[in-house]
Amino acid sequence: MKLAYWMYAGPAHIGTLRIASSFKNVHAIMHAPLGDDYFNVMRSMLARERNFTPVTASVVDRNVLARGSQEKVVDNITRKDAEEHPDLIVLTPTCTSSILQEDLHNFVERAQLEAKGDVMLADVNHYRFNELQAADRTLHQIVQFYIEKARKKGELPQGKTEKPSVNIIGISTLGFHNQHDCTELKRLMADLGIEVNTVIPEGACVKDLQKMPQAWFNLVPYRELGLTTARYLEAQFGTPYVDITPMGVVETARCIRKIQQVINAQGADVDYEEFINEQTLYVSQAAWFSRSIDCQNLTGKKAVVFGDNTHAAALTKILSREMGIHVVWAGTYCKYDADWFREQVSEYCDEVLISDDHGEIGDAIARVEPSAIFGTQMERHVGKRLDIPCGVIAAPIHVQNFPIGYKPFLGYEGTNQITDLIYNSFTLGMEDHLLEIFGGHDTKEVITKGISAESDLNWTKDGLAELNKIPGFVRGKVKRNTEKFARDRGIKDISTEVLYAAKEAVGA
Amino acid sequence: MTVAQQPEALNFECETGNYHTFCPISCVAWLYQKIEDSFFLVIGTKTCGYFLQNAMGVMIFAEPRYAMAELEEGDISAQLNDYEELKRLCLQIKRDRNPSVIVWIGTCTTEIIKTDLEGLAPKLESEIGIPIVVARANGLDYAFTQGEDTVLAAMANRCPDQAPVAETDKNERNAIQKLLNFGKKKEEVAQEESEYVDHPPLVLFGSLPDPVVTQLTLELKKQGIKVSGWLPAKRFTELPVIEEGYYVAGVNPFLSRTATTLMRRRKCKLIGAPFPIGPDGTRAWIEKICSVFGITPKGLDEREAQIWESLEDYVKLIRGKSVFFMGDNLLEISQARFLVRCGMIVHEIGIPYMDKRYQAAELALLEKTCKEMGVPLPKIVEKPDNYNQVQRIYQLKPDLVITGMAHANPLEARGINTKWSVEFTFAQIHGFTNARDILELVTRPLRRNNNLKDLGWDKLVKEEAKI
């Protein structure tokens, strides 16, 4: 047992449901007790879905506990098949059904005899995988199912498309800015003269999955979702995949160069250097921003980054490499894929933090007192408490992170959006700082942050007044440094003089 | 005038139980706020945690006094010892928060693996010195607000069974009373006592926000009725005394287990009344309590009439309009009865669970109201099937559907007005004073429509409805 108040990644079935409900005309039936269909609320509320979420529950109640589901699951599947005629029904296990250990495979087989559509059991163990891993597995499972089905029927299309083409893998419902990213990627592909063969799972039809082998390559924009599928397609059809997230100017260029290499190897003759150059210098504003005076002022400012692998890694690189910001630590909650994260970011930050305990993250933020945080909604709230601005860069997210306006994180427009996000976070901090310097806020008598209760040191009135003039976001650190300085030298009363002596001693 | 042909009695049906509702563990969200010195420990899985985290929204960031005891694979396969694990976590809670009570919420998982929470609790309680109350509020057995019912039923067993005799003790127990009386002379207090009619002690049950508690208490005071205590109180240490023979009355329709516990275990007499929702319900509730104590109610006619008058601008908007309750929080019967009185036509009342004994007076009032208003008696559908309901909604085209968030946006996109039902559980809806708040919620979609009516954007989906 573990005491938990907050979790970064949801339970496994959420991942499966995200995949199933991203496809068109796929229905998921959860084997779950009443109330576990909360996914529908999230999709309807957060994503503001106009359509009913294609997820229903085959309710586990006392009768099911006593006698087993018996006909219930099968009936629910065949009923849904008759009502909605979905192409595929995905039976989704939950934590409850994991422990009931009913033979869901058997139910699926029996239901398949009657159902006109396909029926499948999501092969996900609740206690071993989280939302992200489950989504990745389910997507692979569905793709494999339809590729094999087509192969058996001899309907698998042969050969590649005439022009270079791509499958974009991993765009899903409730994903962080996924819809906007998808539009941006399609636009980028169009600019590069690459046809989009399929986009999965969002908006895709399962019947289209058999077309996937016709693409020249697969693009997997997010680390968490789609890699297993891309590897499967590579193993089956030798389709190469590009898994460089085009987030930030440098990474977008790297992604495009990789695409160039991959399609030239298959006989295309393209040179994207001119395009990259044009976009970087004149279309995206991010490169120019890095050179501008605004960004100069950010040099050496401290930031921390926390999120999923994709976004935290990309943001860390952007902050450090493209803006000269000092990333004190970068962290991820994708513990199962921590090695990749470490390898990606270690040269761009002082320290790497792998944890899914929000308390540990909160403490790490309080310890380093950065000028800005880039994290999830949880870090935003930590920031609120500590008076540090925060830009939200990854799930878990709230309804305000599903903007209606066009806000991709990927591609060249994405670089512009991220620049705004980063700069706005820091300016807020700077404004706050200026207000404090000119006494715009009420003078705070008590220093609430980072105070050590058992301090035997005494701040004199003028010392304290001087300390309060120091901008909020560095005050705690100055206070601690001064106290350390005083303690080391056996000074009991800290006056203005001591404060500045300490400052000089540290050379800050 | 003769009333058109209509069924003589209410029509009850039961469907498949395939409906959307909140998991009953959601009751921790409002109960931890109500019972200020409590700590709620939900013993369940990531699924439960994910639900609470998302359903409670921003509350989660306010360092709530609730946490998950998240079960891991070792707990499920009994490689870890339940008792030792719970002890470790409860000691941590004691150290960090020092609550007066820890409430264990049993979930589906603890039911299935048969964790003996009721057996473990007394042992651990004596070992760590904090009361542990067990409530099995799980999705296998209960829906949404019934979670509160299971918690209060468990709390009912913790209420002291004897009023302390010594005056000093009484003062300590009744800290609020002491505060209220602060600075008053003894005679004044005695005079205050005399404002009440002499009647057997009355304890009310149901968790309501403190302002509503005050309003209802004062409402009864006007009739000379003294509320001796309230289950739950603001603090666990202030749970009311419940002696054999006390009278109890419920304020919410979903408290049938609590009522049963109070009657059977604590030997109380239950006053079966309609619930104080809407001015008609509040009046019927007070009248019933008065009648039990042999009091003739005073001034209720004027009070009710005055409230109705102040509601007229809202009632005008909904008079003659129709409403469909999909059902998810058990407030449906009382709300429907109030809305019929407002002049609405109710097509269907979906409800998760219908206790015809506990809600008897409310059902009778619904029937009476329908007859008086000359509208057909609604169909009451227990354990509804949301898919079937949506088909019926398409046929009936009601002016308003009261439903959960899972269906609200999709129905709106199809030109059907909805009101999110969960808001009724969190808004203040009890008593005369709050009748306007109910109508504020009910009329909101209609008022919104009045603002947008000329735009012609009512159906915003391309294809046929799919669930």
Side-chain angles (χ1 to χ4, degrees):
Chain A
M1 263 179 230
K2 147 174 132 188
L3 201 59
Y5 299 86
W6 170 265
M7 67 185 84
Y8 286 101
H13 71 269
I14 297 288
T16 298
L17 297 181
R18 274 178 57 188
I19 298 303
S21 56
S22 293
F23 278 107
K24 246 192 236 159
N25 213 24
V26 171
H27 201 100
I29 294 187
M30 299 167 70
H31 188 237
L34 199 63
D36 273 3
D37 56 353
Y38 192 71
F39 176 79
N40 297 33
V41 177
M42 291 179 58
R43 192 155 176 273
S44 171
M45 250 176 123
L46 298 179
R48 292 181 204 90
E49 263 294 330
R50 300 181 198 208
N51 286 313
F52 291 97
T53 297
V55 173
T56 44
S58 173
V59 177
V60 175
D61 56 15
R62 282 283 157 190
N63 289 330
V64 171
L65 278 200
R67 307 180 300 133
S69 293
Q70 296 189 351
E71 300 303 316
K72 197 169 183 179
V73 174
V74 178
D75 286 350
N76 276 318
I77 296 174
T78 48
R79 177 185 162 186
K80 198 43 73 181
D81 183 68
E83 281 167 0
E84 307 269 354
H85 317 293
D87 297 324
L88 169 68
I89 291 179
V90 181
L91 181 59
T92 309
T94 59
C95 60
T96 309
S97 59
S98 287
I99 20 180
L100 284 177
Q101 298 192 332
E102 286 190 276
D103 190 356
L104 297 180
H105 266 293
N106 174 35
F107 294 155
V108 163
E109 276 164 26
R110 277 169 49 205
Q112 184 65 83
L113 296 177
E114 253 182 81
K116 292 208 175 59
D118 298 312
V119 188
M120 162 194 294
L121 172 67
D123 179 20
V124 170
N125 180 324
H126 180 91
Y127 292 93
R128 305 257 162 96
F129 303 113
N130 69 16
E131 171 188 351
L132 304 170
Q133 293 163 291
D136 191 48
R137 287 177 69 93
T138 305
L139 184 60
H140 166 234
Q141 199 188 342
I142 294 176
V143 170
Q144 185 176 18
F145 181 87
Y146 281 98
I147 296 280
E148 277 170 13
K149 189 176 171 183
R151 187 180 275 152
K152 238 178 254 163
K153 282 188 175 170
E155 287 173 356
L156 209 55
Q158 297 300 313
K160 302 284 174 194
T161 54
E162 200 177 318
K163 281 190 191 160
S165 64
V166 61
N167 298 315
I168 300 175
I169 302 178
I171 308 289
S172 78
T173 190
L174 291 176
F176 184 72
H177 293 238
N178 272 203
Q179 299 285 1
H180 307 302
D181 283 349
C182 182
T183 310
E184 186 63 21
L185 286 178
K186 282 185 190 162
R187 190 175 288 176
L188 181 64
M189 292 306 130
D191 287 349
L192 296 176
I194 296 171
E195 282 172 359
V196 175
N197 189 45
T198 61
V199 176
I200 67 161
E202 184 65 42
C205 208
V206 287
K207 289 179 184 123
D208 297 338
L209 292 176
Q210 63 188 46
K211 287 193 338 203
M212 291 189 83
Q214 289 183 292
W216 288 35
F217 70 102
N218 293 314
L219 177 62
V220 184
Y222 308 116
R223 174 74 190 173
E224 292 78 16
L225 179 53
L227 262 190
T228 312
T229 308
R231 285 185 187 135
Y232 164 77
L233 292 170
E234 186 182 45
Q236 292 287 315
F237 306 101
T239 316
Y241 65 85
V242 176
D243 62 349
I244 301 164
T245 305
M247 196 184 305
V249 179
V250 180
E251 290 297 288
T252 304
R254 201 159 73 88
C255 178
I256 295 172
R257 289 196 181 104
K258 178 77 186 174
I259 292 173
Q260 171 180 315
Q261 183 200 333
V262 156
I263 59 174
N264 279 349
Q266 296 176 65
D269 180 25
V270 293
D271 179 2
Y272 293 137
E273 284 309 321
E274 186 52 33
F275 174 78
I276 295 172
N277 197 42
E278 171 80 12
Q279 292 285 324
T280 305
L281 296 185
Y282 308 112
V283 177
S284 162
Q285 299 293 325
W288 156 235
F289 177 82
S290 307
R291 286 279 162 192
S292 73
I293 298 302
D294 279 340
C295 192
Q296 208 181 88
N297 286 338
L298 299 181
T299 307
K301 287 244 172 288
K302 285 199 297 186
V304 297
V305 181
F306 189 78
D308 59 10
N309 268 355
T310 305
H311 293 87
L315 251 289
T316 305
K317 290 180 195 168
I318 293 170
L319 289 168
S320 158
R321 190 165 56 185
E322 297 178 19
M323 295 187 174
I325 290 162
H326 176 196
V327 180
V328 187
W329 58 257
T332 178
Y333 54 80
C334 300
K335 283 163 89 172
Y336 63 93
D337 197 16
D339 291 343
W340 180 86
F341 186 76
R342 250 188 223 107
E343 182 206 313
Q344 291 291 308
V345 303
S346 27
E347 58 176 305
Y348 300 109
C349 59
D350 302 350
E351 194 191 329
V352 177
L353 190 62
I354 311 288
S355 171
D356 55 6
D357 173 0
H358 80 277
E360 196 182 333
I361 307 302
D363 288 347
I365 293 173
R367 169 167 53 87
V368 304
E369 291 178 44
S371 310
I373 307 167
F374 298 94
T376 72
Q377 277 292 338
M378 193 42 143
E379 285 65 52
R380 192 172 74 82
H381 282 266
V382 172
K384 256 188 188 168
R385 206 171 62 217
L386 300 176
D387 257 333
I388 302 170
C390 177
V392 174
I393 56 146
I397 38 184
H398 282 170
V399 68
Q400 67 264 38
N401 302 113
F402 289 86
I404 297 171
Y406 186 54
K407 293 210 160 51
F409 269 60
L410 300 184
Y412 285 108
E413 177 55 24
T415 63
N416 292 337
Q417 297 293 336
I418 294 172
T419 303
D420 281 344
L421 179 78
I422 294 174
Y423 185 62
N424 289 344
S425 303
F426 279 105
T427 9
L428 290 175
M430 289 293 283
E431 273 165 21
D432 189 46
H433 162 162
L434 292 172
L435 277 172
E436 300 239 10
I437 287 176
F438 295 110
H441 288 311
D442 292 341
T443 321
K444 289 169 199 152
E445 280 294 310
V446 199
I447 303 154
T448 44
K449 264 183 302 178
I451 201 160
S452 54
E454 59 271 71
S455 169
D456 53 341
L457 295 161
N458 175 39
W459 283 80
T460 64
K461 215 171 172 187
D462 65 318
L464 203 55
E466 204 59 32
L467 180 66
N468 280 333
K469 286 185 202 158
I470 289 161
F473 57 92
V474 289
R475 193 186 298 147
K477 191 180 146 203
V478 171
K479 180 169 188 282
R480 267 201 306 282
N481 285 342
T482 313
E483 288 181 350
K484 184 170 181 293
F485 172 85
R487 202 167 282 131
D488 290 348
R489 285 163 183 74
I491 302 169
K492 277 266 152 54
D493 298 311
I494 303 175
S495 60
T496 314
E497 286 79 17
V498 180
L499 178 73
Y500 287 120
K503 185 177 185 306
E504 282 154 24
V506 199
Chain B
M1 197 179 88
T2 51
V3 180
Q5 264 203 333
Q6 55 173 259
E8 286 301 299
L10 289 166
N11 176 16
F12 293 93
E13 281 179 24
C14 186
E15 277 189 307
T16 61
N18 264 322
Y19 64 103
H20 168 77
T21 183
F22 273 17
C23 175
I25 60 173
S26 53
C27 67
V28 309
W30 64 87
L31 287 176
Y32 91 78
Q33 294 191 21
K34 174 72 195 178
I35 309 170
E36 288 171 1
D37 54 353
S38 62
F39 190 98
F40 285 79
L41 183 67
V42 182
I43 305 161
T45 59
K46 255 188 184 317
T47 305
C48 314
Y50 196 67
F51 163 68
L52 277 180
Q53 174 173 324
N54 285 294
M56 286 163 76
V58 290
M59 276 195 275
I60 205 98
F61 300 108
E63 302 205 6
R65 293 182 317 279
Y66 102 85
M68 292 293 309
E70 195 184 308
L71 300 167
E72 289 162 305
E73 211 167 2
D75 297 300
I76 304 301
S77 52
Q79 284 163 340
L80 297 167
N81 179 316
D82 298 335
Y83 185 78
E84 290 305 321
E85 291 295 299
L86 283 167
K87 183 175 155 190
R88 187 169 55 83
L89 301 192
C90 288
L91 283 172
Q92 194 181 334
I93 292 165
K94 184 184 174 182
R95 196 182 59 228
D96 296 347
R97 310 289 179 108
N98 194 29
S100 309
V101 61
I102 298 177
V103 184
W104 285 355
I105 303 287
T107 61
C108 303
T109 311
T110 56
E111 286 299 309
I112 296 169
I113 63 173
K114 298 189 167 54
T115 313
D116 182 18
L117 297 177
E118 276 96 345
L120 298 175
K123 234 168 99 189
L124 191 58
E125 177 170 327
S126 61
E127 201 175 332
I128 66 170
I130 296 181
I132 296 174
V133 171
V134 180
R136 304 203 292 185
N138 60 68
L140 294 169
D141 300 307
Y142 304 111
F144 196 10
T145 49
Q146 288 181 290
E148 174 181 323
D149 193 22
T150 62
V151 174
L152 295 190
M155 291 252 174
N157 291 318
R158 298 297 184 123
C159 293
D161 53 6
Q162 220 171 18
V165 194
E167 186 65 17
T168 47
D169 283 6
K170 194 179 170 189
N171 279 347
E172 259 165 39
R173 276 214 62 77
N174 216 338
I176 291 186
Q177 196 60 40
K178 200 169 133 193
L179 267 181
L180 287 174
N181 290 340
F182 182 74
K184 284 186 190 167
K185 292 198 188 94
K186 263 238 160 88
E187 308 88 82
E188 279 179 81
V189 177
Q191 194 199 339
E192 222 169 66
E193 291 291 320
S194 73
E195 287 171 29
Y196 297 109
V197 178
D198 188 28
H199 64 81
L202 170 69
V203 172
L204 301 179
F205 59 95
S207 162
L208 293 179
D210 294 333
V212 183
V213 167
T214 312
Q215 288 158 10
L216 287 181
T217 308
L218 289 177
E219 214 64 69
L220 288 174
K221 193 180 168 189
K222 280 183 196 157
Q223 307 299 335
I225 295 169
K226 184 177 178 183
V227 178
S228 310
W230 201 295
L231 173 72
K234 259 173 92 79
R235 303 177 64 81
F236 181 74
T237 48
E238 289 162 11
L239 278 181
V241 172
I242 298 180
E243 285 184 55
E244 192 172 332
Y246 274 26
Y247 281 81
V248 291
V251 296
N252 265 324
F254 45 78
L255 298 171
S256 38
R257 283 176 68 90
T258 311
T260 313
T261 308
L262 289 168
M263 285 192 292
R264 296 202 182 141
R265 303 283 300 269
R266 308 304 304 256
K267 313 280 183 239
C268 295
K269 289 172 187 151
L270 177 71
I271 302 176
F275 301 99
I277 292 169
D280 49 338
T282 308
R283 179 196 174 147
W285 184 71
I286 295 173
E287 277 178 343
K288 183 66 193 280
I289 295 173
C290 285
S291 80
V292 169
F293 293 143
I295 299 167
T296 317
K298 342 172 253 255
L300 279 181
D301 271 339
E302 301 78 42
R303 184 104 170 95
E304 196 195 343
Q306 184 199 347
I307 297 290
W308 281 114
E309 202 180 315
S310 70
L311 297 179
E312 183 53 28
D313 54 335
Y314 276 168
V315 172
K316 225 171 12 197
L317 291 171
I318 52 174
R319 201 170 276 140
K321 297 238 160 58
S322 62
V323 58
F324 189 109
F325 288 86
M326 286 186 79
D328 71 347
N329 59 14
L330 284 95
L331 295 170
E332 292 88 2
I333 303 285
S334 312
Q335 280 178 355
R337 178 259 304 149
F338 169 53
L339 293 182
V340 170
R341 180 59 72 187
C342 291
M344 289 189 93
I345 297 149
V346 181
H347 289 303
E348 173 166 331
I349 309 177
I351 186 166
Y353 168 73
M354 181 72 244
D355 185 337
K356 287 186 197 162
R357 279 196 297 177
Y358 177 64
Q359 295 222 43
E362 184 63 87
L363 286 168
L365 183 59
L366 170 68
E367 207 172 326
K368 183 171 156 245
T369 307
C370 287
K371 284 187 176 141
E372 282 174 11
M373 299 301 290
V375 293
L377 286 165
K379 181 166 80 167
I380 296 176
V381 181
E382 203 178 348
K383 292 174 120 205
D385 184 291
N386 280 167
Y387 180 86
N388 295 343
Q389 284 185 313
V390 170
Q391 309 309 313
R392 293 199 287 271
I393 288 170
Y394 289 151
Q395 274 173 5
L396 293 164
K397 298 192 174 58
D399 296 303
L400 181 68
V401 175
I402 297 185
T403 180
M405 201 64 210
H407 295 101
N409 269 339
L411 285 172
E412 289 281 352
R414 288 165 178 79
I416 295 162
N417 294 313
T418 61
K419 182 74 230 141
W420 184 31
S421 55
V422 174
E423 283 190 78
F424 293 103
T425 21
F426 293 108
Q428 307 191 350
I429 60 168
H430 292 76
F432 286 122
T433 328
N434 298 312
R436 199 173 168 82
D437 290 53
I438 309 178
L439 290 187
E440 157 73 30
L441 291 176
V442 170
T443 58
R444 196 177 292 160
L446 305 166
R447 285 180 285 131
R448 187 265 327 262
N449 285 0
N450 285 344
N451 294 337
L452 308 182
K453 68 183 170 206
D454 299 328
L455 297 174
W457 306 330
D458 51 349
K459 289 210 177 58
L460 296 156
V461 278
K462 288 183 189 158
E463 312 130 50
E464 275 304 287
K466 286 245 166 94
I467 303 186

